[in-house]
Coordinates of all heavy atoms in Angstrom, one line a residue:
V45 N 4.7 -17.9 1.6 CA 3.6 -18.1 0.8 C 3.0 -19.5 0.9 O 3.7 -20.5 0.5 CB 4.0 -17.7 -0.6 CG1 2.8 -18.0 -1.6 CG2 4.4 -16.3 -0.9
T46 N 2.0 -19.6 1.6 CA 1.4 -21.0 1.9 C 0.2 -21.2 1.0 O -0.2 -20.3 0.2 CB 0.9 -20.9 3.3 OG1 -0.2 -20.1 3.5 CG2 2.0 -20.8 4.4
P47 N -0.2 -22.6 0.9 CA -1.4 -22.8 0.0 C -2.6 -22.0 0.2 O -3.4 -21.7 -0.7 CB -1.7 -24.3 0.3 CG -0.4 -24.9 0.9 CD 0.3 -23.6 1.6
G48 N -2.8 -21.4 1.3 CA -4.0 -20.5 1.6 C -3.8 -19.3 0.9 O -4.8 -18.5 0.9
F49 N -2.8 -18.8 0.4 CA -2.5 -17.6 -0.2 C -3.5 -17.4 -1.4 O -3.8 -16.2 -1.8 CB -1.0 -17.3 -0.7 CG -0.8 -15.9 -0.8 CD1 -0.4 -15.1 0.2 CD2 -0.8 -15.3 -2.1 CE1 -0.1 -13.8 0.1 CE2 -0.5 -14.1 -2.3 CZ -0.1 -13.3 -1.2
G50 N -3.7 -18.5 -2.1 CA -4.6 -18.3 -3.3 C -3.9 -18.0 -4.6 O -2.6 -18.0 -4.6
P51 N -4.7 -17.7 -5.7 CA -4.2 -17.4 -7.0 C -3.6 -16.1 -7.2 O -3.4 -15.7 -8.4 CB -5.3 -17.8 -7.8 CG -6.5 -17.4 -7.0 CD -6.1 -17.8 -5.6
W52 N -3.6 -15.2 -6.2 CA -3.5 -13.7 -6.4 C -2.0 -13.3 -6.3 O -1.7 -12.1 -6.6 CB -4.2 -13.1 -5.2 CG -5.7 -13.4 -5.2 CD1 -6.2 -14.3 -4.3 CD2 -6.6 -13.2 -6.2 NE1 -7.5 -14.4 -4.6 CE2 -7.8 -13.8 -5.8 CE3 -6.6 -12.4 -7.4 CZ2 -9.0 -13.6 -6.5 CZ3 -7.8 -12.3 -8.1 CH2 -9.0 -12.9 -7.6
R53 N -1.1 -14.3 -5.9 CA 0.4 -13.7 -5.7 C 0.9 -13.0 -6.8 O 1.5 -11.9 -6.7 CB 1.2 -14.9 -5.3 CG 2.7 -14.4 -5.1 CD 3.5 -15.6 -4.7 NE 3.6 -16.5 -5.7 CZ 4.5 -17.6 -5.6 NH1 5.1 -17.8 -4.5 NH2 4.6 -18.5 -6.5
D54 N 0.8 -13.4 -8.1 CA 1.4 -12.8 -9.2 C 0.7 -11.4 -9.5 O 1.5 -10.5 -9.8 CB 1.3 -13.7 -10.5 CG 2.1 -14.9 -10.4 OD1 3.0 -15.0 -9.6 OD2 1.9 -15.8 -11.2
D55 N -0.5 -11.3 -9.3 CA -1.1 -10.0 -9.4 C -0.6 -9.0 -8.4 O -0.4 -7.8 -8.7 CB -2.6 -10.1 -9.4 CG -3.3 -10.8 -10.7 OD1 -2.6 -10.7 -11.8 OD2 -4.3 -11.3 -10.6
I56 N -0.5 -9.5 -7.2 CA -0.2 -8.7 -6.0 C 1.3 -8.2 -6.3 O 1.6 -7.0 -6.1 CB -0.4 -9.3 -4.8 CG1 -1.8 -9.5 -4.4 CG2 0.3 -8.6 -3.7 CD1 -2.2 -10.4 -3.2
V57 N 2.1 -9.1 -6.8 CA 3.5 -8.7 -6.9 C 3.6 -7.6 -8.2 O 4.4 -6.8 -8.0 CB 4.4 -9.9 -7.4 CG1 5.7 -9.5 -8.0 CG2 4.6 -10.8 -6.1
R58 N 2.7 -7.8 -9.2 CA 2.7 -6.9 -10.2 C 2.1 -5.5 -9.8 O 2.8 -4.5 -10.0 CB 1.7 -7.2 -11.3 CG 1.6 -6.3 -12.6 CD 0.6 -6.8 -13.6 NE -0.6 -7.3 -13.0 CZ -1.6 -6.4 -12.5 NH1 -1.5 -5.1 -12.6 NH2 -2.8 -6.9 -12.0
K167 N -7.4 -10.6 0.5 CA -6.7 -11.7 -0.2 C -5.2 -11.8 0.4 O -4.7 -12.9 0.2 CB -6.6 -11.4 -1.6 CG -8.0 -11.4 -2.4 CD -7.8 -10.9 -3.8 CE -9.2 -10.7 -4.5 NZ -9.9 -9.6 -4.0
D168 N -4.7 -10.7 0.9 CA -3.3 -10.7 1.5 C -3.3 -9.6 2.6 O -2.9 -8.5 2.3 CB -2.3 -10.4 0.4 CG -0.9 -10.4 0.9 OD1 -0.7 -10.5 2.2 OD2 0.1 -10.1 0.1

Side-chain angles (χ1 to χ4, degrees):
V45 180
T46 63
F49 199 85
W52 307 108
R53 180 176 67 175
D54 292 344
D55 288 335
I56 291 171
V57 167
R58 182 183 47 76
K167 295 171 187 73
D168 179 1

